[in-house]
Amino acid sequence: MSKSIRLALMAVALAPTLAVAQAAFPTKPIRLIVPYPPAGSTDFVAREVGAKMGEYMGHQVIIDNRPGAGTLLGLQLGAAARPDGYTMTFATSAGLAVNPALGVKMPFDPLRDFMPIGLMVNVPYFIVINPSLPVRNMRELIDYAKTQPGKLNFASPGVGTPNHLGIEMLNQMAGVKFVHVPYKGGAQAITDLVAGQVQLIFSGIPQFSAFTKVGRLRVIAAATTKPTRVAPDVPLVADMFPGFDCNTWFSLVAPTGTPAPVITRLNGEMNRALAEPAVIQRLLDQGVEATPGTPAALRQLIVSETERWRKVIKTAGITPEAAK
């Protein structure tokens, strides 16, 4: 018997065993590395979706919060994990697309070292202003900004954040000059916005909703390309500047080398969780919108978002050093 025939027979003999092994996944709890501290929308989404995935698969998804180094610590741990399906990593647009677009030195490559599982949620940003600013919509804002060049301060949680890049993109598309005021996190930025130290910010709902309810802040536009279920009645920046899109998104990835059937299983259970009406509503209550999808769609999103933000960053002259 030739060697090739023997190998073929061995493959046939092993096929049922491999199929059983794949079908049995998982046989133990799965770790989900979250490169953010407990609390906040990132942790909420990870726990909400992870709990449902664990329920469906019959084995718990254990949240492992690993904040540090601007999410690089947790992402590096995820990239270096054993590619057997028992470690997933929670990854956002900042880590997978914005940092690469900035040229930040990272100990991993998002496309080389991770396999996409799928997009989970979109987090829509809104233009929020201090009510002392005499505008109520995008047209009035841009017209007013053109009469006050360099005098309107636009806050962000830091240089190179998606919030900051949205400001630069608006400057470029509208032909205005908002002054970027970076903070070390969103909480202080919102505090100063309420106090009138700055006039505007791009922010997600959880950060500002308590202040808009009592009239201390005002929302004038959503930074999505189409109406969001989070706030469907808010007009869009894109109504005035077609294609304008400034948001962030959360996804799940696995180490490169994870078996394709395992990725398929994880993606299916993630999408199943995101289709549950109760989960959808709880996410909306947190200001995030369930956006289930395929691994291929997430990979394409990473590529397109990296290129989109790279153009904005180059035009604005933002350096990796400034983003530290």
Side-chain angles (χ1 to χ4, degrees):
M1 184 183 297
S2 70
K3 182 178 180 180
S4 60
I5 293 176
R6 287 198 304 272
L7 291 173
L9 290 174
M10 288 175 62
V12 170
L14 286 172
T17 301
L18 292 173
V20 169
Q22 290 170 354
F25 175 86
T27 59
K28 60 182 181 180
I30 296 171
R31 177 172 67 149
L32 174 52
I33 297 173
V34 180
Y36 296 88
S41 58
T42 49
D43 190 62
F44 178 87
V45 172
R47 292 178 186 278
E48 182 74 22
V49 178
K52 278 296 177 183
M53 291 178 69
E55 177 183 319
Y56 299 147
M57 292 187 291
H59 289 277
Q60 184 181 8
V61 173
I62 300 172
I63 305 300
D64 184 6
N65 294 96
R66 293 298 186 99
T71 76
L72 293 183
L73 174 60
L75 290 171
Q76 183 179 8
L77 286 172
R82 184 176 178 180
D84 56 5
Y86 289 98
T87 298
M88 300 186 292
T89 303
F90 182 100
T92 71
S93 59
L96 295 183
V98 174
N99 280 343
L102 279 164
V104 173
K105 291 184 179 180
M106 302 186 296
F108 59 88
D109 181 285
L111 294 174
R112 183 193 65 215
D113 298 324
F114 285 116
M115 295 179 69
I117 295 172
L119 183 65
M120 288 193 295
V121 303
N122 188 54
V123 185
Y125 285 165
F126 299 83
I127 292 185
V128 186
I129 67 171
N130 184 290
S132 64
L133 203 61
V135 303
R136 304 194 72 87
N137 55 53
M138 278 303 299
R139 171 59 64 188
E140 291 180 1
L141 173 62
I142 298 305
D143 288 346
Y144 185 70
K146 288 181 177 179
T147 69
Q148 306 286 324
K151 294 183 179 180
L152 297 183
N153 295 323
F154 218 130
S156 86
V159 175
T161 59
N163 320 62
H164 170 210
L165 299 186
I167 301 165
E168 301 297 349
M169 184 164 55
L170 186 58
N171 279 339
Q172 294 166 23
M173 295 180 74
V176 294
K177 181 56 181 176
F178 292 111
V179 177
H180 176 222
V181 181
Y183 287 81
K184 292 183 178 180
Q188 186 58 50
I190 291 291
T191 298
D192 276 9
L193 179 63
V194 173
Q197 300 300 315
V198 292
Q199 287 74 51
L200 312 93
I201 195 171
F202 274 114
S203 180
I205 281 181
Q207 284 71 46
F208 64 75
S209 61
F211 299 103
T212 56
K213 289 176 181 177
V214 297
R216 299 185 69 184
L217 292 177
R218 179 188 302 152
V219 177
I220 64 169
T224 51
T225 56
K226 59 184 180 180
T228 169
R229 286 177 289 169
V230 170
D233 297 328
V234 176
L236 309 179
V237 178
D239 291 339
M240 188 171 179
F241 302 105
F244 188 92
D245 183 10
C246 173
N247 307 278
T248 190
W249 39 264
F250 305 161
S251 67
L252 291 181
V253 294
T256 291
T258 301
V262 171
I263 294 290
T264 299
R265 175 75 191 279
L266 293 172
N267 172 264
E269 303 299 7
M270 180 198 73
N271 286 341
R272 183 180 172 190
L274 292 170
E276 279 212 12
V279 173
I280 291 172
Q281 188 56 55
R282 284 194 290 271
L283 293 174
L284 288 174
D285 291 343
Q286 291 292 314
V288 299
E289 186 174 7
T291 51
T294 65
L298 175 56
R299 177 171 288 275
Q300 182 54 45
L301 180 65
I302 296 169
V303 172
S304 62
E305 286 281 277
T306 302
E307 183 57 29
R308 183 169 75 94
W309 288 126
R310 184 176 285 126
K311 292 177 181 177
V312 172
I313 290 163
K314 182 178 180 180
T315 301
I318 306 168
T319 65
E321 291 73 25
K324 289 182 180 179

